[in-house]
Amino acid sequence: MTKLDLDPQVVRKARRLAERAAAPIIEMARTHTTVSVERAQLRLGGLSGADSDGLPWVNHLVDAVRDQVGLEHGVALPVWDALRNEPYDDLAGLARAAALGAVTFRIPKGSDADAAAELARRSAREGIGRVDRRRAERDTMLREVGDPAQPWIYLIVATGDIYEDIPQAQAAAREGADVVAVIRSTGQSLLDFVPEGATREGYAGTYATQENFRLMRSALDDVSKELGRYVRLTNYASGLCMPEIATLAGLERLDMMLNDCMYGIIFRDINPRRTFIDQRFSRQIHARAGIVINTGEDNYLTTADAVDAAHTVVVSQLLNERFGKEAGLTDRQLGLGHAFEINPAIPDSFRLELAHAQLVRELFPDAPLKYMPPTKHMTGNVFAGYLLDAFFNLAGIMTGQSIILIGMMTEGIHTPWLSDRDLALENVRYVREACGALAEDFVPRPDGFVVQRARQVLSESVDLMERICDDTLLTAIADGTFGVTRRPADGGKGLDGVIERADAYLNPVIDILDSEDPHAAAGGVPTPAGSARE
Amino acid sequence: MTKLDLDPQVVRKARRLAERAAAPIIEMARTHTTVSVERAQLRLGGLSGADSDGLPWVNHLVDAVRDQVGLEHGVALPVWDALRNEPYDDLAGLARAAALGAVTFRIPKGSDADAAAELARRSAREGIGRVDRRRAERDTMLREVGDPAQPWIYLIVATGDIYEDIPQAQAAAREGADVVAVIRSTGQSLLDFVPEGATREGYAGTYATQENFRLMRSALDDVSKELGRYVRLTNYASGLCMPEIATLAGLERLDMMLNDCMYGIIFRDINPRRTFIDQRFSRQIHARAGIVINTGEDNYLTTADAVDAAHTVVVSQLLNERFGKEAGLTDRQLGLGHAFEINPAIPDSFRLELAHAQLVRELFPDAPLKYMPPTKHMTGNVFAGYLLDAFFNLAGIMTGQSIILIGMMTEGIHTPWLSDRDLALENVRYVREACGALAEDFVPRPDGFVVQRARQVLSESVDLMERICDDTLLTAIADGTFGVTRRPADGGKGLDGVIERADAYLNPVIDILDSEDPHAAAGGVPTPAGSARE
Amino acid sequence: MKQRQAATDVPEAQDIPSIIRPYGDTTGDAMVQMSFTLPVPAGRRAEIAALRLAGQMGLDPASVVHSKPMGPNFTFFIVYGKVNHLIDYAGIEVPAGREYPLLAAKEVDLAIRTVLNRRLVVVGACIGTDAHTVGIDAILNVKGFAGEKGLEYHREIQVINMGAQVTVAELVERAKAENADAVLVSQVVTQKNAHIHNTKQMAAAFHDAYPTAVGPGMGRPLLIAGGPRFDTVTEEELGVDRIFGKGTTPGEVAAYLVHALLPNWIPSEPS
Amino acid sequence: MKQRQAATDVPEAQDIPSIIRPYGDTTGDAMVQMSFTLPVPAGRRAEIAALRLAGQMGLDPASVVHSKPMGPNFTFFIVYGKVNHLIDYAGIEVPAGREYPLLAAKEVDLAIRTVLNRRLVVVGACIGTDAHTVGIDAILNVKGFAGEKGLEYHREIQVINMGAQVTVAELVERAKAENADAVLVSQVVTQKNAHIHNTKQMAAAFHDAYPTAVGPGMGRPLLIAGGPRFDTVTEEELGVDRIFGKGTTPGEVAAYLVHALLPNWIPSEPS
Ligand code: B12
Ligand code: B12
Ligand SMILES: Cc1ncc(COP(=O)(O)O)c(C=O)c1O
Ligand SMILES: Cc1ncc(COP(=O)(O)O)c(C=O)c1O
């Protein structure tokens, strides 16, 4: 249902520009690898676990290869070559030995290379097969337990302790959450390794680990069956280990992942090149695993003004869409983000929000949009906060948003309490049930305030996208275009983990991801439920 | 702006039926008087004060007349006759003596009667003149200090102590209240006299007395000047002394009065005949004084279901309109009441509310509608209450209501605290400022849910009105049509205060009110501000 | 017909700790939220006063997360903090709950017919200046409450509902005239403790009016008070036999009448 | 230029009573609102527990106006009641407020140029894993806060903003390298008291790194901590020289730098 009468010419132009702006970045991603991409390959190959200090074996192995022969050929050849030659049963054995300095790596040539490549390919196929099976498992559960209609209610748990998180997540599901996100500990995104095991000591969030993923997914499977409604699990594929976390998500049947093309750059000061290279791999995995990604445009509005910077959100969405599609994600997997962050003190703030939300809805009609609640203007006045969250919920309903992150009245104070979440769910439940199909009575006056504002934001977006095409995206990022934060292309953390691929670079996982239709194994049907919007 | 496409034929029919249903009641009112109507006449004549037990002199005088000569001729002739014959300077002296049994009353005849009537007429003209001057005073203040645009924010104070009420009312005005209502003590409506003086001991409300009116109006005049915005004062012309309170309101420049045609009957078990007779007089005074009345249909929805009984609200509004116009009130003085009382647990409750509110808006386009917040479904959950009040505020804006009674999150718990009121004002302020002219984007889908519901309520209203015309309004009331409360025509309190007028009945105040255009003295222009709605 | 459960509350798991504290998001964090107004101008000094109050209430640490001037003389505060109190949950005697079983409507009528051999007379009213009849009507009138019919519905109960704003004198007089077995009063307005004063006054009047009474049903009617905010007082304090609070259903009251007035009746099918 | 008032708060009327209580709608009513969760199943026993807690906090009477089961093991409560505490308002020393005057930007630069005869060096960072830079940026960056320019804007202040997630070791090293006059750290995440731990750790590291220091500006940099939730601790507890809270403006910080580091400077136009 279109209400804004957007000019299709302008919309097409915006997409063409996004494609142009993304092209050089995609080219860079196709010609580089990173330590985490290589580690992800090993994880898909079945290597898990860590030494007694908690440093994972994948890190040991990749570091050892890098030290001895560099990474420009990828780890596949040297690792499977070593496995052929050395007396280790599996990657784990090899990694332990490598950690002790007991393994000598080389880049095999000729038939040795062929043989190592063959083993690596088999391992990759097996790993991808496991991801495929997880996707099939989800499809089965969705059929059997039932898939809730959109909009989905998205809730956060953030105790830092997986064993406190689990009952809170189950409680949230029982009270109506369709999606549960386990927020990560503050420090994790800068760690260049993925912690291991079940963890209980995060700060303002719980570490993303394979075991935590497994525990939570299994707890949610239980509650899904109890409720007759599949409850989705979300985590964060971002930070220095984005490719590995995406891989673990695929292996443990997570359902959605925060995976933005620029979040780590802007909000964690991670090197832009590292981010874009890691991102392409992660998104290919997400595509294959039937995972919906959520992008992070909402974050810009916490550091920039939501009115002044509205067009930067749209520009970023167009870029995220382009990068996503290039990596194989379907429209139904593009949970593009935006947010209700306009200063409530300014006149007509709610109508401005409606204009922005409806614009995004019409620009991306098939994407399961993720709509974020107010955070920046939430204060210690919890009553005012509860009110603002209600209007956020209302805007979501009036503009047909798909995934609604539930706002907490205590956003300005602390990470959510059990009762905050419960009250927040009562809030959204009231708004949803009371308003029903109110969206059909929301008809912005032709050429009125809402329509004009939407057009203005779209036209500012096209202008900005043109400038980005001229100057390159890396320059735009360096100039502080997004979130008024300047991030030069060679600054930030993790650049030393970026390696240009040699001609003979081999990564059989990437070969599969680059060459196959990610949705073919699932019958071509992307997992996420059809949107319930009209 | 009409959005519901109501059939004008049906609307006209509804009004015709209301006229028919009201006719016999009006006839009754024109042929009867009550003790309070007679007392009101004396109050207009300048008689105030009470004995040391607090029983007003007007009561003493009317009771004495009644005891000696009955009231069917009215008090005017016997009282002014006695004043001519007895050695008292004024009504006060006469009343004191009468209270001691020291006065003998008679119904004067011939030239004695003419002379007494002449004095009474002079007194009535003087009293009405005082009311006219108050109205002129208001008009001047509105011009000089400024008249806020509608919708007006209406707030209640209810401490029981006029000296606590005053600073709270001023605080409310400073925070944005356009109208302040001083709720009355629980017992007052059943008192057959008006208490005297400044009072400090009401229960859940403060006594309506002339002195309290004066103190509060003067405090609000101060704050009006401070704010550059005339702050209106409201009280309750209902209960056994409705005519006297209306008169005191006129004398002390109150601006709005709760004055419903059936509230006292249904919710205070006051005799129906007494109520209707008192009511006509009160409304004539209100018309003359330029006071806006507020009707009480909202109350029905506290005892009946807001969906099932929606049409009883409309029927009552049509009756109130008819009674009001017959008494000389203009459309701009008809603050017809309705309320946001649908159970929030039922699906589409908000859209149903929009349908009801928009229906009333379109049926009475020129009336300053008074919209009441949720009360019945307000619980101890103050967060849920704050939310429901926000949606009430929103419905008010989306449907262009005129006078918004601000809901308190603690409605289910206690009479408003200072902070409840402050938070409530923050709530409505946010909703108003954030939504601006959102009403223009609210376009119910033709033949959609909202439109169909509005039509259904209107058609049920016409059906009910037909039944009332057939059976008489008094029968309908006896049958529990309004607020599911049965009130037989001869039951309830105060019937013994009703007296059929004799042919020679004289009440010069009524003569003036019946024969003159109430708005002529004010240049024909009713006081209330033009509505700011488009 | 299957009788409803007479016991109280939900069954409790064995693993609830015996000493508990409030819960924010972690066991034992003891976090609570508060709001209040202080009659002083906003500012640093007012904030300290708010924190002092929080301290006296046992909050440590406490944070003023919001403060808002309301005019020149008042400040509104929202405070969050950790309370240092422990609640001895194990030491809370599991409340007796309903000390009598719920009964089917037929069972109530049967009890009255059998034991009393006449209709049981109840007189109800909202006393004082209270005009909130919805609550007492919910108990007395056929229409009832929460899907249960009111007492009027019982063949064997004669209900006299005097309505609103009834004086204590009128009520006593009527109760005597009707030979009431039970008197039911409702009080909804609580401002300045009106409900407590009125109910005490009513109880005293009945005790005066029946000076020789031995107890409820023995020389005087059973006295029942109801309303949403009687949770701060006990029967003894008010001088009544029983208080019913928020959400009371007519069935609970009917069963109580049988229990209190026909103590020897043994329900055919206990529950 | 007229200087802004250095004193604290609004001027107070003389007629504020010296002993105060919370205010609902009547002087002295002492009413407050509370909400909290108890880790027990909903029911009468839970309600009693809630009232016990309220009692311990000094609420009497207290009413549970709302209780809501949250799953089988938790119950949420809203309670209103009258607190029996008195607040000795007169006894609260009017807080010193800002112990130094605000200064115009030019005045700050003049002070530094005159007294120090070189640029004043400040190093700022969000330490630990905290990545909330908006607050420290508001103080340091030209853009500033609430209409005031940040410290960078001053000709005579050299600002090194290290950004987010800086370790204490990195911070100490940089402060030494730059010969910092002041070190400004921001802490926004408070879960598990992260802000307090991190700030204490930072302070300890600086005291270790400058073992011979006599005081701020005398052998070690001035240590300033800022963030929205430091209101439960004092400078002494953290080991820093000054804490800045919610709503701090850059001007307040600039004036404090002059006050603390250039104590002998006498503003040309005092305020
Ligand atoms: C409906 C209502 C009205 C209607 C009453 C219509 C009527 N015929 O009853 C009208 C509109 C007339 C009205 C008027 C006023 N009201 Co009123 N009203 C309410 C409202 C919205 C709902 C009350 C209700 O019906 N609840 C539903 C019933 C079923 O619940 P209940 O009464 O608790 O009864 C249950 C139990 O308590 C128990 N029970 C109750 N009585 C008894 C008796 C016995 C014997 C037993 C066994 C059980 C029992 O069983 C019932 C069923 O479970 C409340 C606000 C709210 N949301 O609670 C305000 C409220 C009660 N009203 C209030 C006030 C102040 C007034 C006025 C005094 C205002 C004024 N000054 O004009 C007037 C005057 C009334 C008067 N003289 O008493 C205040 C009381 C404040 C206080 N705590 O002191 C409230 C809380 C609103 C507020 N926050 O200000 N009101
Ligand atoms: C913006 C924001 C973000 C942005 C930060 C962007 C950025 N570049 O800073 C993003 C989106 C990245 C973010 C992420 C997260 N956030 Co965040 N975020 C906020 C938010 C919405 C606003 C904070 C803000 O900018 N305030 C405005 C500034 C101007 O105020 P301020 O910081 O208080 O600063 C003022 C004063 O305190 C003082 N001041 C502050 N520092 C200093 C230093 C000095 C030296 C001086 C003198 C003064 C001073 O002066 C400033 C101006 O007056 C708050 C919620 C809220 N409404 O408060 C949550 C909030 C702070 N975030 C929170 C959390 C948990 C996170 C995450 C950890 C969640 C997660 N697990 O993923 C992440 C990770 C961040 C990390 N590693 O630290 C929590 C913290 C909970 C707690 N109390 O512990 C909050 C409260 C939200 C919540 N309720 O859960 N967040
Ligand atoms: C898009 C996106 N990615 C990732 C994160 C999580 O941050 P971190 O990577 O620090 O855990 C967020 C947090 O809001 C986010 O919005
Ligand atoms: C229409 C109307 N009249 C009068 C009143 C006041 O009641 P009382 O007359 O008992 O003071 C109300 C209370 O809400 C009302 O709605």
Side-chain angles (χ1 to χ4, degrees), chain A residues 183-187 203-205 236 263 267-268 299 302-303 341 375-379 410-416 485, chain D residues 129-136 138-139 145 165 184-191 224-229 244-249 253:
Chain A
I183 291 267
R184 301 196 305 186
S185 176
T186 47
Y203 272 109
Y236 298 78
Y263 173 84
F267 296 97
R268 292 294 172 272
N299 293 291
T302 67
T303 48
E341 286 281 20
T375 64
K376 183 177 176 171
H377 297 286
M378 296 292 278
T379 66
T410 52
E411 168 68 28
I413 309 171
H414 52 232
T415 43
T485 304
Chain D
T129 53
D130 202 327
H132 291 88
T133 52
V134 176
I136 183 111
I139 305 299
F145 186 70
Q165 310 199 179
L184 282 69
V185 304
S186 180
Q187 288 286 273
V188 173
V189 174
T190 62
Q191 216 206 23
I224 301 177
R229 303 268 173 260
F244 284 92
K246 271 189 292 192
T248 306
T249 63
V253 180

Side-chain angles (χ1 to χ4, degrees), chain B residues 479-508:
Chain B
D479 288 348
T481 303
F482 302 100
V484 282
T485 304
R486 296 166 182 266
R487 298 298 189 198
D490 293 322
K493 288 135 189 153
L495 181 55
D496 59 350
V498 173
I499 301 100
E500 194 172 353
R501 300 188 196 169
D503 286 343
Y505 176 78
L506 180 74
N507 185 326

